[in-house]
């Protein structure tokens, strides 16, 4: 696990640079074992930074969320770098965003965090409910140690680990300027066994399954808002003119929304699982996204967010491509 003293010293050094205006990291939450994003603009704020197994948020989302306000006449926009702390899975979002030319590489400074896994906060909440004071989670060997209210409990790591971490192949960030600890060896693999199981089911069975899931949706758009790859300034799913789908919350419109969004992420989803993590009605959205990821890998031998030199899968063409099917 990352040495906090080294992390904070590195953060102070980075935020003191003239070419850096902000650092995005993690700080303790206000209750329980939660951790929240921190936006550091001065060296003094760096003392609050932490990195623990509770740092589940993908901070790459904030890089593309920033509103670019117009500047007054005669003033120049602030083009200094934004520094961001990323785990291995989060670094794939940065690579995919840069692959899509969302921003140039020189606009960000990446503090890479070799990661041994983060917890699923729903599992933590179920195991330790009603903890209102600030608690701490630390990884010691293969056990997670949770402390709160003067008590301490050890739990086997695999009991609380997030599902995405059990199949993580990139624990060390794929892009970074500074690495905050030694590289972590790959400790898991992904054979898409869960998707293969879903594929075996009949069409009627699959429809009944997703009908029940999509019926729960309240269209809060949390899945879209937290996604590091959903950064279009003008979301086609919200347009009123022309209106591609109605705002009504019913099975038909909910299904259209989720299927459209899954297609929009085909060849772009980096499987950070943020959409599913924040869903207030527990729709297993990663089952849908992982089906598309598996198809893209098998059909095109393409994995998003792994090589910034790769052109975006569905945004390129060759002049010799077939076109007789185009109407």
């Amino acid at each position: 696990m990352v040495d906090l003293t080294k992390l904070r010293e590195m953060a102070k050094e980075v935020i003191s640079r003239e070419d850096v205006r902000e650092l995005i990291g993690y700080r303790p939450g206000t209750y329980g074992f939660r951790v929240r994003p921190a936006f550091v603009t001065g060296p003094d704020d760096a003392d609050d930074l932490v990195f623990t197994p509770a740092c589940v948020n993908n901070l790459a989302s904030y890089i593309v969320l920033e509103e670019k306000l117009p500047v007054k006449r005669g003033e120049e926009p602030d083009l200094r770098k934004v520094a961001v702390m990323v785990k291995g899975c989060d670094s794939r979002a940065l690579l995919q965003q840069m692959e899509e030319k969302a921003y140039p590489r020189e606009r960000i400074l990446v503090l890479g965090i070799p990661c041994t896994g983060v917890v699923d906060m729903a599992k933590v909440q179920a195991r330790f409910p009603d903890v209102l004071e600030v608690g701490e989670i630390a990884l010691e060997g293969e056990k997670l140690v949770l402390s709160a209210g003067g008590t301490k409990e050890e739990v086997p790591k695999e009991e609380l680990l997030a599902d995405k971490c059990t199949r993580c192949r990139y624990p060390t960030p794929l892009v970074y300027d500074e690495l905050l600890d030694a590289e972590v060896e790959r400790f898991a693999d992904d054979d898409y066994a869960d998707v293969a199981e879903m594929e075996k089911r009949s069409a009627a069975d699959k429809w009944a399954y997703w009908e029940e899931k999509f019926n729960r949706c309240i269209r809060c758009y949390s899945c879209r808002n937290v996604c590091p790859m959903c950064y279009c300034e003008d979301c086609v799913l919200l347009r009123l003119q022309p209106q591609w789908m109605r705002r009504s919350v019913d099975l038909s419109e909910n299904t259209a929304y989720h299927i459209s969004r899954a297609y929009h992420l085909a060849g772009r989803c980096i499987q950070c699982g943020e959409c599913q993590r924040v869903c207030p009605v527990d729709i297993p959205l990663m089952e849908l996204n992982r089906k598309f990821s598996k198809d893209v890998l098998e059909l095109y031998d393409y994995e998003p967010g792994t090589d910034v030199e790769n052109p975006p899968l569905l945004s390129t063409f060759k002049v010799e491509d077939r076109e007789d099917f185009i109407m």
Side-chain angles (χ1 to χ4, degrees):
M1 193 53 67
V2 173
D3 181 282
L4 282 187
T5 303
K6 180 180 178 182
L7 183 154
R8 290 165 181 166
E9 289 302 316
M10 177 65 71
K12 287 179 183 177
E13 185 181 316
V14 166
I15 199 61
S16 299
R17 288 172 45 167
E18 290 186 357
D19 64 339
V20 175
R21 63 183 166 86
E22 185 177 38
L23 186 152
I24 307 173
Y26 301 95
R27 65 186 304 178
T30 51
Y31 71 93
F33 301 101
R34 294 183 182 278
V35 167
R36 59 189 168 124
F39 301 88
V40 175
T41 56
D44 292 342
D45 296 335
D47 285 328
D48 293 334
L49 292 174
V50 296
F51 185 77
T52 75
C55 294
V56 296
N57 306 65
N58 184 346
L59 301 181
S61 300
Y62 294 99
I63 300 290
V64 287
L65 279 179
E66 186 178 44
E67 187 177 12
K68 296 178 178 59
L69 297 173
V71 296
K72 295 178 181 177
R73 184 177 299 172
E75 292 183 0
E76 294 293 327
D78 189 346
L79 298 180
R80 289 178 295 166
K81 298 174 189 281
V82 173
V84 60
M85 289 166 51
V86 292
K87 308 181 292 290
C89 53
D90 305 339
S91 73
R92 292 183 60 191
L94 296 181
L95 282 175
Q96 188 64 23
Q97 290 166 353
M98 289 188 282
E99 200 177 290
E100 297 176 359
K101 313 298 182 194
Y103 49 81
R105 174 68 176 89
E106 56 270 21
R107 291 291 302 280
I108 60 170
L109 193 151
V110 185
L111 303 181
I113 301 177
C115 178
T116 51
V118 294
V119 297
D120 181 332
M121 290 308 297
K123 295 178 184 175
V124 174
Q125 199 80 18
R127 179 109 183 206
F128 302 93
D130 307 322
V131 176
L132 297 179
E133 68 273 25
V134 176
E136 293 183 354
I137 298 180
L139 181 65
E140 294 182 5
E142 290 301 306
K143 291 187 175 179
L144 289 161
V145 180
L146 296 93
S147 313
T151 62
K152 183 183 285 189
E153 186 167 345
E154 293 183 353
V155 182
K157 175 181 167 182
E158 59 272 16
E159 287 187 20
L160 300 180
L161 210 59
D163 290 345
K164 66 176 181 178
C165 300
T166 62
R167 49 180 178 252
C168 175
R169 288 166 298 140
Y170 305 103
T172 298
L174 296 173
V175 58
Y176 57 83
D177 296 293
E178 301 286 349
L179 197 61
L180 293 170
D181 205 349
E183 292 189 12
V184 173
E185 287 187 18
R186 178 169 163 171
F187 57 85
D189 208 345
D190 189 358
D191 59 2
Y192 289 95
D194 54 328
V195 181
E197 276 304 308
M198 173 64 80
E199 289 172 338
K200 291 177 186 173
R201 300 165 73 168
S202 68
D205 195 17
K206 283 185 274 193
W207 172 245
Y209 177 80
W210 285 109
E211 186 178 50
E212 189 274 325
K213 306 300 180 194
F214 292 152
N215 237 341
R216 299 182 200 165
C217 180
I218 56 174
R219 298 282 286 283
C220 64
Y221 300 110
S222 294
C223 52
R224 185 203 62 172
N225 294 343
V226 79
C227 176
M229 302 316 305
C230 264
Y231 60 88
C232 302
E233 291 184 8
D234 178 20
C235 177
V236 69
L237 301 181
L238 295 184
R239 279 185 194 167
L240 296 176
Q241 186 65 37
Q243 188 174 40
W244 293 94
M245 65 183 58
R246 293 191 292 273
R247 302 290 179 88
S248 51
V249 180
D250 56 40
L251 177 61
S252 175
E253 299 303 318
N254 292 353
T255 303
Y257 167 71
H258 286 291
I259 296 295
S260 299
R261 191 167 173 280
Y263 271 103
H264 185 46
L265 291 173
R268 302 177 65 239
C269 175
I270 50 88
Q271 299 194 51
C272 66
E274 285 290 85
C275 52
Q276 184 167 313
R277 181 180 69 82
V278 301
C279 179
V281 291
D282 297 326
I283 299 175
L285 292 166
M286 283 309 297
E287 292 181 14
L288 201 56
N289 293 333
R290 280 176 53 74
K291 165 60 178 166
F292 280 85
S293 295
K294 178 173 177 283
D295 287 351
V296 164
L297 184 63
E298 292 175 349
L299 291 170
Y300 303 103
D301 191 25
Y302 179 87
E303 191 171 22
T306 54
D307 185 354
V308 75
E309 300 300 326
N310 271 344
L313 177 68
L314 299 179
S315 303
T316 57
F317 69 97
K318 296 176 182 174
V319 292
E320 63 268 23
D321 280 349
R322 283 181 53 220
E323 59 180 28
D324 53 312
F325 61 92
I326 300 175
M327 297 180 68

